[in-house]
Amino acid sequence: MKISHSFRKVALSLCVAGALAACQPQTEKEQKPTQPKPPTASEAKAFVAEAEALLEENYEHLAKTYWVQANFVTSDTNSLVAKVSEEATKRGVALAMGAKKFNDVEVDYDTRRKLEFLKAGLTIPAPEDDAKTKELAEISAGMDAAYAKGCTENPNECYVLGQLSDTLASPDTSAQQKLDAWVNWRKVSPQMRLDYQRMVEIANEGSKELGYADTGALWRSKYDMEADDFAVEMDRVWGQVKPLYDSLQCHVRAKLNEKYGDEIVDPAGPIPAHLLGNMWAQSWGNVYQDVAPKSDVPATDLTARLAAKNYSEIEMVRTAENFFSSLGFQPLPDTFWTRSLFTKPQDRDVQCHASAWDFNKDDYRIKMCIKKNAEDFVVIHHELGHNYYQRAYNLKQPMLYRGSANDGFHEAIGDTVALSINDSYLKEIGLIDEVPAASGDLPYLMKMALDKVAFLPFGLLVDKWRWGVFNGEIPADKYNQGWWELREKYQGVKAPVARTEAHFDPGAKYHVPGNVPYTRYFLAHILQFQFHRELCKMAGVEGPLHRCSIYGNKEVGAKLNAMLEMGSSRPWQEALQTMTGSRDMDASAIIDYFAPLKTWLDEQNAERSCGWSKEPSAKTDTAS
Ligand code: X8Z
Ligand code: ZN
């Protein structure tokens, strides 16, 4: 159970141990033991009210314990987290079981919605068994810490993800150096394998007790539609964007083949994962130089501009805050600046993976090991998006509605704002002197596609893997094989060296040991373009979407805020409608945004054989 990333708060704070009885629905005193009276609507309402009060009471302590651990990863803070998470899980399970008892009671809309949140509140539930709950909490805390420390079983053999990532990102390191960095980071995860397997067992037991087929079904149940329909919906949206992804993959592979040769990059196969500039090959912005369209006007090098203007890490955050202020959001509280972690401390282990925190008391923070580059400039906006969302719903909503419309919305807000970090915006804030001519558009679109389009299949497959693990389709002796099959199938990316079941490569991605569901990022990558298109329309910006910036537009900010304030009080389809007029997720916005690039990519690919099937005759996509 993670505190960051702004899950609905029920996931984090549950009723106090002493008040556990209060989590159970009241039964009437005079009931006969043989024929218990069914619970009533007013009892359901009282149960929910009590649950909310208890959640609120416990939230801060839980959040602060997690915060301290993430900022000081030691065996002591680990055991503190294991302890509070064990207690919170117990209470969460008690609340969920309590809520379940009202399944057949007719109640008002809000009570029903809140009861459903209570039932599905935990990400990794335990069964009603003290020993297993404790075991689960210890496993979770341990995996999380191992990832943060970057250590194998031997504490003298630790790896620093930030450094290894720099090696992969640099256009100047050799393929061999990249391979070494790629392999070394994956030494952190084999030790998690058995723990992960055990965690899956216990969590599934817990999910079943709560009435879900398995933990994946529990995760898919949180989207205001049938769990099975949600999976189908994700495949539908993926189908919309796959042709765009395939064109990008084909072009990038051809350029990497030119650079590294047939020996390293098979011109008809999946791309080796260490050559795409990112530890997980999830976004490819760092290979821009290798694949960029030739143009007299190259895309603005934002990393270089930040350096030229001597931006510090804090100034990068201030600039992001300023964007939100320009939309009419209140400045962040002083405690944000004094309590956040912005840079990697040299003297201790911290969980460097960026996150945004809400302590439910006008106390918002981010925790990040900021690097002074364009990528982290965007990540800062991403994190602040979480904080502004949190503040908007905290001010308006009761405890159980202090969450986003769905978890993809939470991930999409900062990214939506960051889509406006284009040349016209950079000129407005003085980071560049002139907006490049329109001939610079293709390079800019390529840069964006390497981040946003390249990400899509990865965003989808991480949970395809976990759903398969939870429902048994990917058994424990095929964890790694299952992972690489999905990587090949969806991304057209392959392991650069042979991998076996002695490895546990999914564990080398933060969200797996951290138990953070991942489909949210796929959703966010679709939604942010839908939001951007709508906000630009509202701002009256004409012309291509990638040239639109909403900077400074208070009317647009108010529109955005109206959705943020709703929290999770209404189904996400309604929140989407408030913002866009449509209730459906729709990839046509991302397709529109990249339309000029798609045309260009298809011209480049005209003589190439695309797709990555092993059959040499594959002219078109045969990947799936
Ligand atoms: O984990 C994150 C954020 C924190 S919610 C930095 N992201 C995913 C990742 O890094 O894998 C943002 C995009 C995808
Ligand atoms: Zn996020």
Side-chain angles (χ1 to χ4, degrees):
M1 187 180 62
K2 295 292 298 170
I3 192 100
S4 49
H5 309 290
S6 350
F7 309 135
R8 279 183 190 125
K9 287 183 177 174
V10 67
L12 327 170
S13 56
L14 305 149
C15 53
V16 281
L20 203 55
C23 300
Q24 314 298 335
Q26 313 283 313
T27 48
E28 298 201 6
K29 288 207 179 86
E30 70 274 22
Q31 73 193 19
K32 291 191 193 120
T34 44
Q35 278 232 307
K37 261 193 166 179
T40 65
S42 64
E43 283 164 359
K45 229 179 150 125
F47 173 78
V48 164
E50 188 134 12
E52 284 198 301
L54 288 163
L55 292 170
E56 189 141 15
E57 195 178 315
N58 283 276
Y59 185 82
E60 196 183 345
H61 178 253
L62 196 53
K64 287 190 172 166
T65 309
Y66 274 96
W67 171 262
V68 171
Q69 190 252 5
N71 280 270
F72 303 85
V73 184
T74 69
S75 61
D76 293 330
T77 56
N78 238 26
S79 72
L80 292 173
V81 154
K83 187 77 193 148
V84 297
S85 114
E86 176 191 340
E87 287 164 1
T89 300
K90 266 189 212 164
R91 294 169 202 140
V93 169
L95 273 182
M97 291 298 199
K100 210 175 129 187
K101 297 193 174 138
F102 297 105
N103 272 356
D104 299 325
V105 183
E106 209 170 299
V107 293
D108 61 86
Y109 172 86
D110 287 315
T111 304
R112 175 53 54 211
R113 188 161 179 79
K114 289 176 179 181
L115 286 169
E116 291 306 314
F117 285 176
L118 287 170
K119 280 197 298 183
L122 291 168
T123 304
I124 298 289
E128 285 185 303
D129 175 317
D130 287 356
K132 286 179 182 166
T133 308
K134 186 172 188 325
E135 192 183 352
L136 185 66
E138 282 168 1
I139 287 175
S140 301
M143 288 194 304
D144 204 43
Y147 186 95
K149 290 161 89 82
C151 288
T152 64
E153 254 119 37
N154 173 3
N156 297 319
E157 199 188 350
C158 294
Y159 295 94
V160 181
L161 176 59
Q163 279 169 12
L164 299 175
S165 294
D166 287 345
T167 303
L168 287 176
S170 167
D172 304 324
T173 50
S174 68
Q176 186 59 46
Q177 285 169 313
K178 290 184 205 294
L179 182 61
D180 292 344
W182 190 95
V183 168
N184 278 339
W185 178 245
R186 281 157 183 78
K187 290 181 184 164
V188 70
S189 48
Q191 62 168 323
M192 299 170 188
R193 193 189 175 97
L194 286 177
D195 279 346
Y196 196 83
Q197 189 183 338
R198 178 69 183 140
M199 185 204 75
V200 168
E201 256 169 44
I202 301 177
N204 272 344
E205 231 184 278
S207 300
K208 287 196 176 93
E209 281 188 11
L210 293 173
Y212 301 93
D214 62 77
T215 307
L218 164 66
W219 289 12
R220 292 189 300 277
S221 77
K222 305 187 194 203
Y223 295 94
D224 297 307
M225 55 167 77
E226 290 299 319
D228 289 349
D229 294 347
F230 178 69
V232 172
E233 178 67 355
M234 292 304 93
D235 287 340
R236 178 187 71 79
V237 177
W238 168 238
Q240 280 188 284
V241 292
K242 182 169 161 42
L244 175 59
Y245 177 77
D246 287 352
S247 299
L248 182 69
Q249 196 271 1
C250 189
H251 173 71
V252 167
R253 180 179 62 191
K255 299 309 275 184
L256 293 180
N257 171 269
E258 273 173 33
K259 178 171 172 169
Y260 294 105
D262 285 1
E263 283 289 292
I264 298 182
V265 180
D266 174 353
I271 305 171
H274 64 309
L275 300 178
L276 288 157
N278 172 276
M279 185 55 85
W280 308 276
Q282 67 181 62
S283 48
W284 305 348
N286 291 318
V287 300
Y288 171 76
Q289 286 185 13
D290 297 326
V291 307
K294 298 234 163 3
S295 162
D296 353 327
V297 189
T300 299
D301 183 346
L302 181 53
T303 300
R305 295 311 303 157
L306 291 167
K309 295 278 175 181
N310 223 356
Y311 266 54
S312 66
E313 293 85 351
I314 302 273
E315 280 167 313
M316 290 165 73
V317 185
R318 283 269 178 218
T319 307
E321 182 198 35
N322 176 59
F323 199 127
F324 283 90
S325 300
S326 87
L327 298 176
F329 290 89
Q330 292 305 303
L332 291 163
D334 289 346
T335 49
F336 171 87
W337 301 99
T338 53
R339 296 176 185 174
S340 287
L341 180 86
F342 297 120
T343 52
K344 184 171 167 29
Q346 294 307 307
D347 59 346
R348 63 179 202 264
D349 287 319
V350 302
Q351 180 59 270
C352 267
H353 189 85
S355 52
W357 298 63
D358 166 15
F359 297 85
N360 209 27
K361 293 265 164 76
D362 201 35
D363 178 351
Y364 305 96
R365 310 176 197 172
I366 64 171
K367 182 184 57 58
M368 241 184 112
C369 301
I370 299 177
K371 289 183 186 171
K372 292 190 271 185
N373 60 32
E375 191 177 329
D376 274 5
F377 190 56
V378 170
V379 175
I380 292 167
H381 289 73
H382 174 96
E383 297 307 333
L384 291 197
H386 286 308
N387 285 146
Y388 286 101
Y389 209 154
Q390 290 156 348
R391 187 161 63 180
Y393 57 61
N394 282 348
L395 287 171
K396 290 278 161 141
Q397 298 295 338
M399 194 65 186
L400 279 166
Y401 286 162
R402 292 180 193 162
S404 49
N406 70 37
D407 53 7
F409 281 59
H410 229 307
E411 300 303 336
I413 300 307
D415 283 12
T416 301
V417 166
L419 286 178
S420 288
I421 305 178
N422 53 20
D423 289 322
S424 70
Y425 167 67
L426 294 179
K427 175 159 191 294
E428 234 175 311
I429 62 163
L431 262 167
I432 58 173
D433 300 325
E434 285 308 323
V435 174
S439 54
D441 283 17
L442 267 183
Y444 178 75
L445 282 173
M446 173 60 89
K447 206 158 201 175
M448 293 299 284
L450 292 170
D451 284 332
K452 303 291 182 183
V453 178
F455 179 81
L456 293 163
F458 187 76
L460 193 68
L461 75 83
V462 174
D463 281 353
K464 290 229 177 232
W465 182 79
R466 280 190 288 204
W467 295 348
V469 164
F470 284 128
N471 72 16
E473 276 169 25
I474 303 176
D477 62 356
K478 296 214 166 76
Y479 276 172
N480 223 36
Q481 185 189 326
W483 174 254
W484 284 107
E485 280 172 7
L486 288 164
R487 297 265 273 163
E488 279 207 29
K489 175 175 171 182
Y490 285 97
Q491 286 185 287
V493 161
K494 68 172 184 185
V497 283
R499 307 302 283 169
T500 70
E501 294 305 320
H503 305 115
F504 182 53
D505 295 327
K509 174 68 194 164
Y510 168 75
H511 302 69
V512 173
N515 281 318
V516 182
Y518 210 82
T519 309
R520 61 184 61 187
Y521 302 109
F522 176 74
L523 292 169
H525 276 66
I526 303 295
L527 285 170
Q528 63 189 261
F529 287 92
Q530 246 180 299
F531 295 160
H532 180 69
R533 181 170 66 182
E534 203 53 38
L535 295 176
C536 289
K537 201 199 287 172
M538 184 175 178
V541 178
E542 287 178 4
L545 283 174
H546 61 275
R547 288 196 154 230
C548 159
S549 165
I550 59 168
Y551 180 65
N553 193 316
K554 300 235 166 9
E555 201 193 337
V556 160
K559 176 97 176 166
L560 187 58
N561 194 49
M563 185 179 79
L564 305 191
E565 280 182 350
M566 289 170 73
S568 54
S569 63
R570 307 293 305 174
W572 65 262
Q573 294 87 341
E574 223 172 281
L576 187 60
Q577 194 167 25
T578 308
M579 176 89 147
T580 69
S582 158
R583 296 174 63 84
D584 295 320
M585 292 237 339
D586 176 14
S588 70
I590 185 171
I591 302 286
D592 283 0
Y593 185 102
F594 289 109
L597 181 73
K598 172 82 164 94
T599 305
W600 182 85
L601 285 170
D602 290 346
E603 282 161 23
Q604 304 303 304
N605 291 334
E607 302 300 314
R608 294 172 180 149
S609 171
C610 292
W612 49 86
S613 145
K614 296 205 168 62
E615 277 86 48
S617 60
K619 257 281 177 203
T620 50
D621 165 45
T622 49
S624 48

